[in-house]
Amino acid sequence: MATVANHETDCLPSVGELSVKVDCLPFTQVPHTTKLFLDFLSYSPKIRGFYPSPPSISDWLTRQTSTKRYDPARRQQVSDALLRQNRSWNSSAKSLANIERFRAGASAVVTGQQVGLFGGPFFSLLKALTAVKLAEEATAAGVDSVPIFWLATNDHDLAEVNHTKILSADGLREIATPSRGVDDAPVGTVTFGHEIEGVVKSATDVLGPVPAMDLLRDSYRPGETLGSAFARLFAALFGEFGVILMDPSDVDFHAIARPIYKAAIERAQEIDEALLARGTELESAGYHQQVKVTPSSTLLFIVKDGARIPIHRRVNGNNSLDFLIKEEKVSQEQLLQHIAEKPDDFSPNVLLRPIVQDHLLPTLAYTGGSAEVAYFAQVGVVYEKLLGKVTPIVPRLSATVVEPKVKSLLERYHLELTDAFHGEEALREKVAARTLPDELQAAFDRAAQSLDQSLGAVKNALVRLDKTLVEAAENAASKMQHQLESLRARAARAEVRQSEVIGRHAQQLSNSLFPSKVLQEREIGAIYFLARYGVEFLRTLHNTLQSGCHDHQVVTFD
């Protein structure tokens, strides 16, 4: 990996008899990385108007004063609810001790994720580990901090969380649960019946009767919800790291968040106008808006008949204070009364969630991926309106795991991770090109070298004869070289057609490293790696991933 690395750790024994090496791959080489995210990572002057704090926590850590503005009574209420929740999920003694540190005045390093089946995608693990490492770094620097994982149980997109994907001998396999509730219900209310036992068995059939499957059976069982099962699994996985889990759907948290819900309705027009202006600023600067805001937007949902429904402003040109819940017209007074009496019927959208989170918690920093970084470019104006400060965001750890068999294939065909980023078909052709008969490879190489030399001689002669012909010569040379490389590619494709092994290896590399043309961390389920390498996998990542690398890290097991 030396050709793509700009940083490397020493090889360390880990995961049984394996050793691990970590390389830092710049996000400029990762497909689909947005300009906004790249500029944030470099903290270019152009981006600073959208992010008051740079991405490196060490640059602002000692200046952060979030704990001084956090109400002591609120801290006790939140601590009580966290203790109750974490005890119910069998959280570790270290996690419970961290709640007491929080109660005594510690700050929070927060991350969060949708409660995906069996722990969600691999990056869910990376998020939790980032919070752990940042909290450790802050504490070591004198700012006592604990890691908190926010369970996004209020989200209502069941299709995003009811499945996971794992690698099998036959390729990438999706495992899903048929469990469901009311359409558009918060996913935290979706309760498992006995059908979940068959889903766990399906995963076990693929991954084998390994210890990680015992964790699944203990967590994903009849009577649990998507949220509580996820919490039980993460409590077991991250107990040794002292991660505190937090389900915001708890009635106590909704009660504490009541002032934010109230302000979101009372100041809906003001907030909406600020978000529309921020969207224009972002687009004028050449960036994208992660969330499209309209003149009728509000930042709240309401649960009605079990379904989570967005609340819209009724825009009629008369500065109306009326709102719409589907087709029903509701006055501002009615909504505020509802919030006062039953705040747990309400929940924030993605642009209000960080504000609710930081009203509930003394947040030192939030850590998330590129999409969350993009949200924060918009959310800053809401922070200023409702909290008077903007919480720093720090990029989460991002990684691809190169397993031993995959490493052997990369070495066999002289490939890099970046070769997989072009898709399976392109990878298959490259693998085939590397396996063409030596005689044919040598013939192509000789032809290319001869063509280069001959065309160079022609070009030199033309310079002396008529300089205006040089450009024509260069164009002709380019076309001839292109034709030669096209012929080489056709030969490679012919080799693919004649070799099942090459096709199988290309597919294996693609499925493992860049499945469905996205980063491995977004597509392959966390449970796959936990089944393969056990909970020790998390210790390995914790000890070897570099918090100073805000780019993509390549973790190679050997």
Side-chain angles (χ1 to χ4, degrees):
M1 300 249 173
T3 59
V4 299
N6 60 17
H7 189 87
E8 181 179 311
T9 62
D10 295 328
C11 289
L12 300 172
S14 180
V15 193
E17 298 180 352
L18 297 176
S19 63
V20 61
K21 183 181 73 172
V22 179
D23 300 311
C24 199
L25 175 68
F27 263 112
T28 52
Q29 297 185 39
V30 177
H32 318 308
T33 304
T34 66
K35 185 176 186 298
L36 177 68
F37 188 58
L38 291 175
D39 283 359
F40 175 65
L41 293 181
S42 66
Y43 205 51
S44 67
K46 186 178 177 183
I47 204 74
R48 295 179 188 182
F50 304 111
Y51 300 96
S53 302
S56 295
I57 190 173
S58 58
D59 290 344
W60 48 261
L61 175 62
T62 56
R63 299 193 302 273
Q64 181 60 248
T65 58
S66 62
T67 53
K68 294 180 181 178
R69 307 182 65 176
Y70 187 59
D71 178 55
R74 191 187 314 157
R75 183 184 287 276
Q76 296 308 309
Q77 289 177 289
V78 171
S79 299
D80 289 343
L82 288 175
L83 189 60
R84 173 170 46 77
Q85 286 189 336
N86 281 265
R87 279 176 172 165
S88 74
W89 300 320
N90 294 324
S91 292
S92 69
K94 185 171 182 179
S95 294
L96 299 182
N98 275 350
I99 293 174
E100 295 310 316
R101 283 175 59 202
F102 174 87
R103 188 190 298 276
S107 294
V109 175
V110 185
T111 192
Q113 181 57 30
Q114 293 167 302
V115 286
L117 184 68
F118 298 162
F122 172 40
F123 72 73
S124 296
L125 304 181
L126 296 174
K127 280 187 164 184
L129 286 172
T130 310
V132 169
K133 290 175 76 71
L134 291 175
E136 291 171 344
E137 184 179 336
T139 300
V143 182
D144 192 27
S145 301
V146 294
I148 296 184
F149 194 101
W150 178 283
L151 305 166
T153 53
N154 285 321
D155 287 0
H156 59 276
D157 193 341
L158 181 61
E160 287 192 0
V161 298
N162 69 350
H163 65 278
T164 192
K165 293 181 181 178
I166 54 180
L167 286 172
S168 70
D170 300 322
L172 201 59
R173 176 171 173 179
E174 180 175 293
I175 294 178
T177 176
S179 313
R180 60 183 306 109
V182 174
D183 286 348
D184 293 326
V187 296
T189 66
V190 175
T191 303
F192 299 128
H194 287 287
E195 77 284 346
I196 194 62
E197 295 170 338
V199 181
V200 172
K201 182 180 184 303
S202 294
T204 306
D205 290 343
V206 177
L207 296 171
V210 294
M213 296 301 105
D214 295 333
L215 290 180
L216 280 196
R217 272 188 294 274
D218 290 343
S219 304
Y220 288 82
R221 57 194 187 185
E224 300 291 345
T225 68
L226 273 165
S228 66
F230 187 104
R232 285 182 175 278
L233 178 62
F234 266 49
L237 292 174
F238 289 98
E240 68 176 279
F241 301 104
V243 172
I244 300 169
L245 298 163
M246 181 175 186
D247 183 350
S249 67
D250 190 286
V251 292
D252 286 350
F253 291 140
H254 282 296
I256 299 169
R258 187 189 284 116
I260 302 299
Y261 298 163
K262 181 172 177 283
I265 294 301
E266 290 177 332
R267 304 174 65 180
Q269 181 175 344
E270 176 188 351
I271 292 169
D272 194 51
E273 289 172 352
L275 283 167
L276 288 169
R278 173 53 62 91
T280 300
E281 291 173 27
L282 281 166
E283 291 180 351
S284 296
Y287 302 126
H288 71 287
Q289 296 186 64
Q290 189 71 17
V291 180
K292 194 66 178 175
V293 179
T294 71
S296 66
S297 296
T298 77
L299 306 184
L300 278 184
F301 285 87
I302 186 170
V303 174
K304 191 169 185 181
D305 299 324
R308 189 171 182 245
I309 302 166
I311 301 171
H312 292 285
R313 285 196 307 124
R314 189 165 177 262
V315 180
N316 57 15
N318 297 320
N319 293 321
S320 170
L321 296 180
D322 292 335
F323 295 82
L324 292 173
I325 300 173
K326 288 190 173 179
E327 303 303 319
E328 179 188 358
K329 186 173 78 172
V330 182
S331 71
Q332 183 185 77
E333 183 181 358
Q334 288 173 308
L335 271 180
L336 293 176
Q337 183 66 26
H338 195 154
I339 290 170
E341 294 175 353
K342 205 166 188 313
D344 49 305
D345 280 348
F346 297 84
S347 59
N349 79 351
V350 71
L351 295 178
L352 187 63
R353 181 203 52 75
I355 284 75
V356 170
Q357 165 197 292
D358 296 344
H359 175 76
L360 294 172
L361 299 169
T363 306
L364 180 71
Y366 183 84
T367 182
S370 59
E372 288 156 302
V373 167
Y375 290 138
F376 266 65
Q378 295 178 267
V379 165
V381 295
V382 188
Y383 265 115
E384 292 290 357
K385 295 286 184 187
L386 299 184
L387 296 184
K389 66 181 182 68
V390 180
T391 293
I393 184 164
V394 178
R396 67 164 172 81
L397 294 167
S398 176
T400 290
V401 175
V402 179
E403 299 186 78
K405 287 184 179 179
V406 173
K407 176 179 179 286
S408 296
L409 288 177
L410 290 174
E411 291 175 344
R412 174 176 176 177
Y413 297 116
H414 308 289
L415 298 170
E416 304 285 353
L417 168 62
T418 50
D419 290 316
F421 292 165
H422 301 290
E424 185 179 331
E425 185 176 344
L427 187 62
R428 188 183 294 113
E429 289 187 12
K430 187 160 241 182
V431 169
R434 300 285 166 86
T435 57
L436 289 174
D438 291 342
E439 182 182 353
L440 183 56
Q441 288 274 31
F444 273 120
D445 290 341
R446 286 195 301 271
Q449 185 179 14
S450 176
L451 186 59
D452 245 8
Q453 291 172 346
S454 299
L455 291 173
V458 170
K459 181 178 165 185
N460 290 336
L462 286 174
V463 168
R464 294 189 293 273
L465 175 66
D466 185 347
K467 291 183 179 180
T468 63
L469 295 175
V470 172
E471 184 177 352
E474 289 175 342
N475 288 337
S478 177
K479 290 177 182 177
M480 284 185 269
Q481 288 163 343
H482 173 74
Q483 290 298 324
L484 183 61
E485 288 307 309
S486 293
L487 185 58
R488 191 196 292 257
R490 290 178 66 183
R493 288 194 290 273
E495 181 73 10
V496 169
R497 288 193 296 271
Q498 295 176 28
S499 174
E500 279 187 27
V501 173
I502 289 173
R504 189 166 66 248
H505 285 171
Q507 184 180 56
Q508 185 178 346
L509 286 169
S510 184
N511 283 339
S512 178
L513 300 176
F514 202 59
S516 306
K517 296 187 177 180
V518 298
L519 286 174
Q520 175 198 83
E521 62 182 23
R522 305 197 66 82
E523 192 74 359
I524 296 179
I527 194 61
Y528 168 77
F529 294 105
L530 295 168
R532 292 276 289 169
Y533 303 109
V535 176
E536 186 183 351
F537 176 69
L538 296 176
R539 292 187 213 114
T540 298
L541 293 180
H542 174 269
N543 294 335
T544 58
L545 288 176
Q546 308 146 30
S547 58
C549 171
H550 289 154
D551 285 300
H552 189 70
Q553 301 189 55
V554 185
V555 183
T556 304
F557 286 154
D558 191 5

